[in-house]
Amino acid sequence: MTNEASSTVVTEVACPFCGLACDDLSVDTAGEALAVVGGGCAKAQAGFARLGVSHDGASARVGGQPASLEAACAEVARRVKASAQPVFAGMALDVGGMREVMELADAAGGVVDHLYSEIGWRSTRVVQDVGYVTTTLAEVKNRADLIVLVGTDVVSKASRFFERYVWNDEAMFEPAPAARRIVYLGGGLNTAAGQSPDGRAADVFDFDRARMPEALSTLNALLAKQPVSEAAPLGIELARWQALVEALRAAKYSVLVWMAGDFEPAQVDLNINAIMSAVRALNVTTRSNGLGLGGADGELNASMVHAWQTGYPMRTSFASGIPLYDPVHNGTARLVEQGETDTVVWISALNDKTPPPPEAKVVIAPPTLKLEHEPEVFIPVSTPGVHHVGHFFRGDKGAALPLRALRATRLPSAAKVAAAITAQLKEVSA
Amino acid sequence: MSALVLALRNAPAQRVDVGSLNPTALAGLSLADIAALTLSVGKRTVRVDDLFELSGDDSSDVVFRGDCSKLERIGAGMKSGRVTVDGDAGAYVGQGLLGGDIVVKGSAGAFCGTGMKRGRIEVTGDVADFAGAAIPGDMKGMAGGLLLVGGNAGERLGDRMRRGQILVSGNAGDYCGARMIAGTIAVAGKVGAYPGYLMKRGTLILNALPAQMLPGVVDCGSHRLGFLSLLYASWKGLPGPFGALDASACTVRRYMGDMGVSGRGELLVRGG
Amino acid sequence: MSVIKLTGGRVIDPANGINDQVRDIYVKDGRIVAALADGDKVSAEYNVSGRVVMSGAIDMHTHIGGGKVNIAREMLPEDHRGDPVARTEVTRSSCGYCAPGTLAAGYRYAEMGYTSCFEPAIIPMNARQAHMEMGDTPIVDTGGYAMLGSDDFLLRMLVANEDQKSINDYVAWILHSTQTLGIKVVNPGGISAFKFNQRKLDLDEQNAYYGVTPRRIIQTLTRAVHELGVPHPLHVHASNLGVAGNVDTTLATMEAAEGRPIHLTHIQFHSYGTEGDRKFSSGAARIAEAINRHKNVSADVGQVLFGQTVTASGDNMSQYRNAAFASPKKSAVMDIEMEAGCGVVPFKYKDQNFVNALQWAIGLEIFLMVEDPWRIFLTTDHPNGAPFTTYPHLIKLLTDRSFRNAMLDTINPDAKAMSNLAALEREYSLYEIAIMTRAAPARILGLTDRGHLAPGAAADIVVYTENADRERMFEKPDLVFKDGELVVRDGKVVKVVRGNTHVVKPEFDRGIEKKIEPYFRRFHSVRMNNFKISDDELCECGGGSKLIPHACGKRS
């Protein structure tokens, strides 16, 4: 979609570098690296610039020596086949990449784990344990009158949240966006983005975020018209908590926002569970919704594909020939630490910054990934939304965005590499 | 007849589901039948006698020997009989237990006693996180029976517990009794932060409260609760401090919570 | 070139008026041919003499893909643990009973002789996900219906009194953009009303913000679908789902179509009266009478069968209400992207529960009292009434009166007393079963090359050994061919192929995008061009599925 045939600027590009997946970027393809010239944020600019080169000269390596793609895939297949328990980790992939890796993991009898599954499984527990009442970003953009950010500022991870979905020029319904009320629960957050265009500062409940259970316990007690044990929970006078509860009751469409990764890991499901208690209590008389944001590094691409193909959310083991769901014990770090895996295969096409664990024997990643140790096999791959088309699930689960091919490369996609390994594996087996 | 002993030849590298090797499931099987049962070790399928050296003949009395910390679901779903682990056990000990006794002479992994309905599990050492708690998606954790812990318990002890009793001689971790629905948890040592988070009903019996308490857990004053003397009397003789309680010492300070989610859970602090 | 001959089978092919005639069937390169040409060499012959041959079955309403189904999967690990599908030489592993993974769903459908399945509730914004999930549902053909009626764009058009032509253009644009086969309306306008905190919306009740009534939405959309020439009539999940007394709403909804074609889905859930001590009774007789009288009306039943399942619907207003009855007690309710919503509520239908037992009887009453098998479809609204794997059991209930009455004797006695089921003597014939599971769905969806066995048809063919026990017969066909490939033998998948995606592409004026594009920029979360799914992208979503567009005969 170019403005004119001669332009090198591609417009309405969807960005795969955080969970918001903004799709209003303009990317100039003229230079050696891709340049974001409209829309976007610092993370998008850096991502397209770093990964948006052709990677000419990058080659697969086996034992540190250059190897053909075919030979490298065959070597991976051989190692996976010989492994007592392979683990497929990283998984920063687009939908197409994840689909192929799932077939590989099943054929290999492997365990599947995403970068963020340690938080993700706790977050998923909430729908398994109690369910939820939630909304999506377009609804927030047009309906939200009171937004409570629970232990997160969102913008540290997804910088354009307020720009794109809160402080809009117009909304379909009352109130006007500028009149929206913003509340932060928790201290140490970047609350500047929550200031309204006309200069109203957000309402900040400043406390140590590790003490979030106290805040949520207070809110739920007051919503239930029950007493609390303290005159000033978390050092904040009860009247302020009570006022927040009244504001939530009076709001027509309040939204309680969280990012699971911003909670203490051990509290993730309990805190979201507590938020859902509040939301359900409010929905008896008015409308209120939760909004969990996440989805960076293809977190939802991995979890959605995993759920629809196998039935289970992550993390699952295919070792016994059927999917076995045990998110508590199937984490890569635990499996490595406990000596349960001999082969970690790190696959990441979207993330070239998070280092694989030192135990990763196979690394399938962009050539820009800095490796502290040379793995036994390295296969460089292209990046979805940069080099090849693909799909990316936004962090609110509201949409899957189409990703574009903006830069030619000779590198294969992660999907192609996974399919080649699967084919080799089946040959080895046959 | 002597106990059926399953002695690990070598500790497996991967977790192994040995839930099927319990007295109920093994009833009527010959030693040869048992030896030929299969288990999954990572990607491999192995015979029971590949993994264990078998001896003895009484399958109502099963003994696991060796480093059993990778063995999962020991005694799961059994209706009667006895399972003993001479050492540490892996996760899900006694999952869905319907009767009989399990003794772990060491420590147990996560989700010990999850979904158990009857019977008794005694762990002389520690239990990891989520003892007596619900696995993801299950609406209740422990639903009956008795879980005795000689050492310490990890986080989320009795999470979503529905019925039964858990007695911990040592300490319990954070979020003890979270989302509890009913049943009794007693902890002799310290408990971690935020006991009773989202607790609906049920009873925690503690010797002291932690510093970090939820505002939704509210002090309801000092009470002498007669039912405690009956409860303490029922524990008489059990291993650990709860077996030796003075049944008349039933004055407690009573806290109720978590107020936002019905608030009918009670935290009873002994000594009032 | 592959040439297959099925020799000597008893062919039941209602679309072509063939009822149990012994015929040979020839298949060349995936299509049925009348006879072999000179030089054609039969590469595989199957002697099926004495056996029953039908075209592949078609499920015209089954929730197999899209956001709400995936929420149901994630929600219910306890559903999956007991129902694994093991990896084999030809199939991958998967699992799940009432909310199976796509792989398990595709294998199981094929193993029951189903070769096409249609997802009835695709939220336009979520069409990509639905197509991806359907693309990962092996063997069967797929397609879907796009949900409209609570989308703010349409409601604003109605408020602005835009002309029908513009509305038709928007509806056609949605069909193109989402690559779907029909239009569905769910609780017309009610999902929007729920966002404005309305908790119910009757047919003539106004949306609190827009002032638009469900009746007007149905009138407008039945007309749009009809005038665009989309073969499948507007697919309507009526107002007041599950509410006692909703039979009146449902009958009025039929009238709201003003004689134009209308399909009422899972009508069992919309056929409840308020008689009796418990103010819950069967409205089946009135519903069946109305369907028999109104030739423009068709319906699928949404039969309830006893056991654990999960209900997944776009109707978040109803599902929020139903969450109180969730079993196990958990539920997910979502407002979605200014277009729709969804609600997922696990549910256990119990034969000793008065309401559940009567729901079971009501569904069967409707099946047996609607006279024309071309206008009543065999569904459980998978998984809402029961998982699709119960279809063979349902066929037995319809074809075997003594079995049905024996089951009736076991249900809640008060429910039995409130039902006239025992008096209904009808037993469906194999021919009628073939109509309602093959010929009729193909016809009502406009699938000209499916659902029959005449030359030119796709070779989706099922061979059964006849068995007086119809449940046994239909749960395990001997042979299933998909586009001419043998995919199932003796009820087990022997080869995995990729199904096709069925769509319609009605003509319309692309000038409508001048209105849609700025709307997306102002109010939506994505740009219009990133909302639309191109043919190439669809094939990628489908993992390489072939796109089959079906003709629309424009009527305005």
Side-chain angles (χ1 to χ4, degrees):
Chain A
M1 214 63 50
T2 54
N3 288 332
E4 48 193 294
S6 61
S7 173
T8 57
V9 175
V10 185
T11 61
E12 298 187 338
V13 171
C15 171
F17 296 114
C18 93
L20 279 189
C22 301
D23 73 334
D24 62 342
L25 276 64
S26 296
V27 178
D28 193 342
T29 61
E32 197 172 310
L34 295 172
V36 176
V37 294
C41 63
K43 198 178 278 179
Q45 283 164 1
F48 280 103
R50 200 172 60 247
L51 288 157
V53 297
S54 68
H55 298 307
D56 282 340
S59 154
R61 301 188 295 272
V62 174
Q65 299 302 308
S68 70
L69 176 64
E70 195 183 17
C73 289
E75 180 61 17
V76 178
R78 198 187 62 73
R79 288 177 176 278
V80 163
K81 172 82 179 163
S83 165
Q85 183 56 74
V87 178
F88 296 86
M91 297 288 158
L93 299 165
D94 65 334
V95 170
M98 187 62 187
R99 281 168 131 178
E100 292 295 344
V101 174
M102 286 293 289
E103 180 154 9
L104 169 58
D106 186 19
V111 168
V112 178
D113 183 24
H114 183 273
L115 274 177
Y116 304 141
S117 289
E118 191 60 39
I119 297 298
W121 80 261
R122 297 166 197 268
S123 181
T124 302
R125 256 205 101 151
V126 180
V127 72
Q128 298 169 336
D129 288 358
V130 294
Y132 51 60
V133 179
T134 58
T135 191
T136 63
L137 288 166
E139 301 284 356
V140 174
K141 180 175 174 177
N142 290 288
R143 293 180 192 275
D145 51 359
L146 168 58
I147 299 174
V148 181
L149 294 105
V150 185
T152 185
D153 55 31
V154 182
V155 294
S156 295
K157 286 178 177 156
S159 59
R160 296 178 71 203
F161 172 71
F162 283 93
E163 174 202 334
R164 279 177 56 82
Y165 298 108
V166 181
W167 305 130
N168 306 96
D169 293 338
E170 60 176 333
M172 202 181 287
F173 312 111
E174 296 289 325
R180 286 175 171 150
R181 189 167 163 205
I182 308 299
V183 177
Y184 290 89
L185 290 187
L189 298 169
N190 175 4
T191 60
Q195 178 174 312
S196 71
D198 55 11
R200 262 182 316 118
D203 189 2
V204 182
F205 285 66
D206 192 352
F207 57 84
D208 173 2
R209 282 181 283 135
R211 296 174 67 184
M212 187 58 73
E214 295 174 56
L216 295 171
S217 178
T218 301
L219 282 180
N220 275 316
L222 296 180
L223 276 167
K225 300 184 177 164
Q226 294 293 319
V228 292
S229 64
E230 295 169 51
L234 290 158
I236 297 164
E237 58 183 298
L238 204 54
R240 273 190 76 198
W241 294 103
Q242 191 64 47
L244 175 57
V245 164
E246 295 313 321
L248 284 164
R249 285 202 184 109
K252 290 196 162 63
Y253 202 91
S254 58
V255 179
L256 281 70
V257 185
W258 71 89
M259 294 187 95
D262 283 346
F263 289 133
E264 292 290 308
Q267 292 176 4
V268 167
D269 65 311
L270 293 174
N271 286 348
I272 301 172
N273 196 325
I275 292 169
M276 282 305 128
S277 283
V279 167
R280 285 193 199 265
L282 288 164
N283 272 297
V284 173
T285 55
T286 185
R287 287 308 316 276
S288 175
N289 283 288
L291 176 70
L293 291 173
D297 290 307
E299 179 186 13
L300 288 180
N301 303 337
S303 65
M304 298 285 255
V305 172
H306 192 285
W308 83 55
Q309 289 195 351
T310 69
Y312 284 126
M314 294 171 87
R315 300 180 278 212
T316 292
S317 168
F318 294 97
S320 67
I322 58 171
L324 284 177
Y325 176 61
D326 188 343
V328 179
H329 295 98
N330 283 330
T332 306
R334 202 203 69 88
L335 293 169
V336 167
E337 185 191 300
Q338 296 293 317
E340 293 182 27
T341 176
D342 50 10
T343 304
V344 175
V345 179
W346 184 263
I347 309 185
S348 169
L350 286 163
N351 183 322
D352 66 339
K353 299 192 87 160
T354 305
E359 296 82 5
K361 290 184 177 172
V362 176
V363 176
I364 298 167
T368 42
L369 176 68
K370 288 193 176 60
L371 293 165
E372 283 168 30
H373 310 272
E374 175 67 19
E376 292 173 11
V377 184
F378 176 80
I379 302 177
V381 290
S382 56
T383 297
V386 173
H387 302 108
H388 65 85
V389 297
H391 290 102
F392 190 97
F393 276 97
R394 206 170 63 194
D396 64 338
K397 291 193 175 181
L401 274 300
L403 301 176
R404 304 268 179 81
L406 302 167
R407 168 68 75 231
T409 181
R410 279 181 297 211
L411 292 183
S413 66
K416 194 179 160 198
V417 170
I421 298 168
T422 306
Q424 290 277 358
L425 193 62
K426 287 183 174 165
E427 219 159 88
V428 176
S429 312
Chain B
M1 299 259 284
S2 62
L4 172 67
V5 177
L6 298 159
L8 276 170
R9 294 177 187 277
N10 294 106
Q14 284 81 33
R15 305 182 320 277
V16 184
D17 179 351
V18 296
S20 57
L21 302 180
N22 74 67
T24 305
L26 297 179
L29 297 187
S30 69
L31 206 57
D33 293 338
I34 295 168
L37 295 173
T38 59
L39 301 167
S40 285
V41 183
K43 286 158 54 176
R44 285 184 305 136
T45 301
V46 301
R47 283 168 55 102
V48 165
D49 60 358
D50 289 336
L51 195 61
F52 298 99
E53 195 171 323
L54 274 60
S55 60
D57 52 7
D58 181 2
S59 66
S60 72
D61 186 5
V62 176
V63 178
F64 288 93
R65 289 216 176 113
D67 177 0
C68 299
S69 59
K70 291 270 161 71
L71 303 189
E72 293 190 333
R73 302 182 72 244
I74 288 174
M78 76 174 185
K79 292 177 183 156
S80 62
R82 182 180 175 86
V83 173
T84 308
V85 183
D86 280 343
D88 294 345
Y92 309 103
V93 168
Q95 180 173 15
L97 188 69
L98 296 172
D101 285 281
I102 298 173
V103 178
V104 177
K105 296 176 180 169
S107 293
F111 294 103
C112 180
T114 182
M116 70 184 280
K117 292 195 172 75
R118 287 180 294 280
R120 172 172 145 156
I121 300 174
E122 183 183 349
V123 178
T124 62
D126 300 338
V127 289
D129 295 344
F130 299 106
I135 59 173
D138 275 13
M139 303 311 281
K140 50 188 188 232
M142 183 169 170
L146 177 64
L147 171 58
L148 291 166
V149 180
N152 302 322
E155 291 183 359
R156 303 278 283 266
L157 178 67
D159 180 23
R160 285 203 143 183
M161 177 174 175
R162 180 72 181 75
R163 198 171 289 140
Q165 299 178 351
I166 303 177
L167 308 183
V168 179
S169 298
N171 305 323
D174 295 346
Y175 322 106
C176 176
R179 311 190 299 173
M180 198 165 160
I181 305 160
T184 302
I185 298 173
V187 180
K190 292 181 288 193
V191 295
Y194 305 134
Y197 192 17
L198 296 164
M199 182 177 184
K200 291 193 172 82
R201 287 185 299 276
T203 305
L204 300 183
I205 298 172
L206 309 173
N207 279 323
L209 289 181
Q212 281 192 289
M213 286 294 292
L214 295 165
V217 176
V218 176
D219 187 350
C220 297
S222 189
H223 300 266
R224 189 180 152 78
L225 299 178
F227 86 93
L228 286 175
S229 60
L230 295 174
L231 188 66
Y232 295 169
S234 75
W235 293 342
K236 196 167 174 59
L238 290 176
F242 294 104
L245 284 180
D246 173 2
S248 66
C250 47
T251 298
V252 293
R253 189 134 197 120
R254 185 173 191 232
Y255 296 79
M256 300 287 288
D258 189 344
M259 283 297 161
V261 290
S262 96
R264 281 178 284 168
E266 54 184 7
L267 284 71
L268 308 179
V269 182
R270 300 185 65 243
Chain C
M1 188 180 72
S2 111
V3 177
I4 297 168
K5 184 181 178 195
L6 300 178
T7 310
R10 295 165 46 198
V11 174
I12 298 179
D13 183 16
N16 297 300
I18 296 170
N19 186 3
D20 205 356
Q21 296 177 18
V22 174
R23 296 193 167 203
D24 295 342
I25 292 178
Y26 296 96
V27 175
K28 192 167 156 183
D29 294 334
R31 296 262 155 194
I32 293 172
V33 292
L36 298 185
D38 288 345
D40 283 350
K41 217 173 127 218
V42 174
S43 37
E45 179 173 354
Y46 299 87
N47 180 354
V48 296
S49 60
R51 290 190 267 177
V52 174
V53 180
M54 296 186 190
S55 64
I58 300 170
D59 194 344
M60 59 96 73
H61 187 111
T62 172
H63 296 280
I64 52 169
K68 65 190 175 311
V69 184
N70 224 26
I71 292 169
R73 294 185 188 110
E74 289 194 331
M75 179 187 275
L76 298 168
E78 70 272 35
D79 166 76
H80 311 338
R81 289 187 182 108
D83 240 304
V85 171
R87 177 172 68 230
T88 69
E89 288 293 309
V90 290
T91 57
R92 287 170 57 187
S93 69
S94 185
C95 62
Y97 171 67
C98 65
T102 56
L103 301 168
Y107 302 147
R108 287 179 189 159
Y109 259 120
E111 288 175 347
M112 290 194 327
Y114 276 74
T115 51
S116 300
C117 302
F118 294 89
E119 162 59 50
I122 295 182
I123 294 175
M125 184 69 160
N126 196 38
R128 281 191 179 85
Q129 183 183 348
H131 285 300
M132 292 172 197
E133 293 189 26
M134 292 192 288
D136 279 349
T137 306
I139 302 175
V140 295
D141 284 9
T142 60
Y145 321 140
M147 266 168 77
L148 289 179
S150 279
D151 54 314
D152 291 278
F153 191 86
L154 179 73
L155 293 167
R156 286 158 66 95
M157 286 183 101
L158 292 175
V159 170
N161 284 311
E162 298 213 26
D163 60 23
Q164 184 73 35
K165 186 194 165 295
S166 298
I167 286 168
N168 294 357
D169 286 337
Y170 170 61
V171 170
W173 180 85
I174 285 285
L175 286 163
H176 280 254
S177 301
T178 60
Q179 300 279 4
T180 45
L181 186 68
I183 296 291
K184 164 98 172 282
V185 59
V186 172
N187 184 357
I191 304 170
S192 164
F194 182 58
K195 296 171 187 174
F196 293 107
N197 201 29
Q198 284 173 280
R199 300 306 169 103
K200 70 171 205 28
L201 196 70
D202 285 324
L203 188 65
D204 292 306
E205 193 174 349
Q206 292 186 346
N207 178 298
Y209 179 81
Y210 290 107
V212 173
T213 64
R215 182 186 296 277
R216 187 164 168 218
I217 293 166
I218 287 169
Q219 285 167 338
T220 307
L221 287 176
T222 49
R223 189 173 159 198
V225 169
H226 183 65
E227 290 184 357
L228 288 167
V230 174
H232 188 44
L234 183 68
H235 196 94
V236 178
H237 158 144
S239 314
N240 290 329
L241 172 119
V243 176
N246 63 12
V247 59
D248 293 317
T249 313
T250 309
L251 294 170
T253 302
M254 291 183 195
E255 301 295 339
E258 298 173 324
R260 293 193 187 87
I262 183 169
H263 179 86
L264 290 161
T265 191
H266 42 69
I267 200 162
Q268 178 277 130
F269 289 106
H270 302 270
S271 302
Y272 305 147
T274 53
E275 290 160 27
D277 295 344
R278 310 198 205 200
K279 305 287 177 228
F280 185 81
S281 60
S282 171
R286 292 173 67 197
I287 291 289
E289 185 277 326
I291 295 175
N292 290 337
R293 188 157 39 86
H294 293 294
K295 306 300 181 201
N296 62 312
V297 175
S298 58
D300 63 88
V301 171
Q303 177 67 37
V304 157
L305 294 163
F306 303 116
Q308 178 69 52
T309 193
V310 59
T311 64
S313 172
D315 189 348
N316 57 1
M317 177 191 268
S318 296
Q319 290 292 68
Y320 178 80
R321 186 175 57 231
N322 292 335
F325 308 103
S327 176
K329 213 158 190 53
K330 47 188 168 181
S331 63
V333 174
M334 272 183 96
D335 294 346
I336 300 175
E337 293 296 275
M338 306 295 281
E339 288 184 345
C342 78
V344 179
V345 181
F347 197 82
K348 190 167 188 180
Y349 294 102
K350 297 175 183 155
D351 61 1
Q352 297 312 309
N353 172 291
F354 169 75
V355 170
N356 299 167
L358 196 51
Q359 288 178 301
W360 175 86
I362 290 167
L364 294 174
E365 289 170 14
I366 294 170
F367 269 118
L368 297 168
M369 287 194 282
V370 171
E371 289 157 7
D372 181 2
W374 289 88
R375 290 192 290 120
I376 190 81
F377 296 88
L378 190 146
T379 68
T380 56
D381 186 18
H382 164 82
N384 292 307
F388 65 81
T389 41
T390 58
Y391 285 173
H393 175 76
L394 176 53
I395 289 171
K396 184 171 181 178
L397 287 168
L398 297 177
T399 53
D400 184 340
R401 186 180 175 219
S402 63
F403 174 68
R404 182 165 72 227
N405 285 342
M407 293 294 291
L408 180 64
D409 286 339
T410 66
I411 68 167
N412 177 291
D414 295 344
K416 184 189 168 191
M418 291 281 286
S419 169
N420 72 339
L421 190 57
L424 297 174
E425 295 182 1
R426 183 171 176 191
E427 292 184 330
Y428 270 82
S429 67
L430 282 183
Y431 190 72
E432 288 175 314
I433 294 293
I435 292 172
M436 73 198 313
T437 58
R438 276 88 171 160
R443 189 171 83 176
I444 205 168
L445 295 173
L447 312 177
T448 50
D449 68 345
R450 311 275 146 177
H452 70 97
L453 297 170
D460 294 353
I461 306 171
V462 189
V463 178
Y464 303 97
T465 295
E466 187 171 9
N467 186 330
D469 183 338
R470 298 297 191 227
E471 183 169 355
R472 296 284 92 77
M473 174 174 169
F474 280 96
E475 74 187 1
K476 202 174 163 194
D478 301 348
L479 304 169
V480 180
F481 296 87
K482 179 77 192 71
D483 288 312
E485 302 247 30
L486 180 66
V487 291
V488 171
R489 189 189 275 279
D490 297 329
K492 280 285 156 210
V493 170
V494 293
K495 180 170 188 180
V496 176
V497 298
R498 187 172 291 287
N500 312 294
T501 305
H502 296 270
V503 300
V504 287
K505 304 256 180 181
E507 285 173 35
F508 74 110
D509 179 358
R510 289 207 173 264
I512 189 73
E513 291 199 343
K514 289 197 186 72
K515 285 181 190 159
I516 297 172
E517 196 278 335
Y519 171 85
F520 268 78
R521 252 187 301 114
R522 289 167 68 196
F523 301 121
H524 223 306
S525 63
V526 302
R527 296 298 174 94
M528 182 187 78
N529 287 316
N530 287 323
F531 171 89
K532 297 194 292 182
I533 304 174
S534 70
D535 289 358
D536 284 350
E537 193 191 342
L538 177 72
C539 293
E540 196 209 327
C541 289
S545 291
K546 201 169 99 194
L547 185 65
I548 301 184
H550 294 278
C552 296
K554 205 168 175 192
R555 299 189 186 98
S556 68

